[in-house]
Amino acid sequence: MSGMGGGHGGGMGGSMMMQHGQQESGHKMGGTGGMGMSHGADALAPGSEFEIMRFQITQETSDSPALPHQLSVIERYTLDDVANPGKPVPIAISEGPMAMLLNGRPYAMDDFLPEERIPVNTLQLMEIFHNHGGEGGGHGSGHGGSGGMNMAAMMSMAHPIHIHEQPFQIISRSMSDDGQEAYASVHEGLVDSGWKDTVLVLPGERVRIIKPFREFKGRYMMHCHNLEHEDMGMMRDLLVE
Ligand SMILES: [Cu+2]
């Protein structure tokens, strides 16, 4: 239908008229007044038909091609492949009042802990874990939890940890003893096959990943993908060198 009537014709006039019509209905101008509105010949009555675009079919095609029987094969990393099997790179999550941190420190330029320096052309075992009270911190970098244990238990939450540069594989997850019951209700739903650039780390959870650092030197961010947390400091750089 090209019932535009008025003098404009063409797409530009059409879209202008649609906006016009929406404004009118927004103003609740009595509804049925239709053509009688005093907006000149362009006025479009609410609810009337209006041509926006036209599809012209010029060629027949088939359905989408059938999916292959097997998608691409992913070579799974193992601990035998990594440069640091006994000393994972820590990514320690801590939550305190108005501070969300990784490795106990807020983001700062050129502020690299020794364990945040990664030799280029290596496969690295990395471990993401909650370290609110400073316990179990692996490499002594966990002085972030200004909130203490009770506060930590109250506030603990899941964090989607995102690491820039090449994607990684998740190789294992474990849960603290007091989180086992809740974990049993969800962990079978976690899909850890395939390449990842982000992993959701649940309260009490410890996730081990293997990540390649091939070829590219420089600073690469890791941060919580919850923007409020990131803005509160939950972001650090890795230095690949
Ligand atoms: Cu977070």
Side-chain angles (χ1 to χ4, degrees), residues 74-79 82 123-128 159-163 166-174 183 187 189-202 205-212:
I74 294 175
E75 187 186 333
R76 296 294 301 184
Y77 296 139
T78 72
L79 285 181
V82 303
L123 268 182
Q124 293 285 326
L125 175 66
M126 307 180 81
E127 190 169 43
I128 312 166
H159 298 279
I161 301 296
H162 174 52
I163 311 174
Q166 286 138 322
F168 54 83
Q169 295 178 4
I170 296 167
I171 60 163
S172 68
R173 295 174 183 262
S174 58
Y183 201 47
H187 82 275
L190 302 172
V191 178
D192 288 340
S193 56
W195 295 101
K196 304 285 181 177
D197 67 12
T198 305
V199 56
L200 185 68
V201 182
L202 300 173
E205 195 177 34
R206 182 176 289 260
V207 179
R208 290 188 142 204
I209 67 173
I210 295 178
K211 178 172 163 63

Side-chain angles (χ1 to χ4, degrees), residues 37-81:
M37 290 298 166
S38 59
H39 285 248
D42 289 353
L44 185 71
S48 56
E49 289 191 45
F50 176 61
E51 183 175 15
I52 297 175
M53 69 175 73
R54 186 190 300 263
F55 292 95
Q56 202 162 357
I57 299 166
T58 60
Q59 189 184 341
E60 273 191 41
T61 66
S62 64
D63 293 339
S64 301
L67 291 174
H69 289 296
Q70 183 173 25
L71 300 177
S72 60
V73 177
I74 294 175
E75 187 186 333
R76 296 294 301 184
Y77 296 139
T78 72
L79 285 181
D80 293 337
D81 302 321

Side-chain angles (χ1 to χ4, degrees), residues 158-160 224 226 229 234:
H159 298 279
C224 180
N226 180 328
H229 297 177
M234 200 170 231

Side-chain angles (χ1 to χ4, degrees), residues 93 95 100 157-161 223-230 234:
I93 293 166
E95 304 156 346
M100 297 274 182
M157 58 184 78
H159 298 279
I161 301 296
H223 60 90
C224 180
H225 233 307
N226 180 328
L227 293 184
E228 288 85 352
H229 297 177
E230 179 189 302
M234 200 170 231

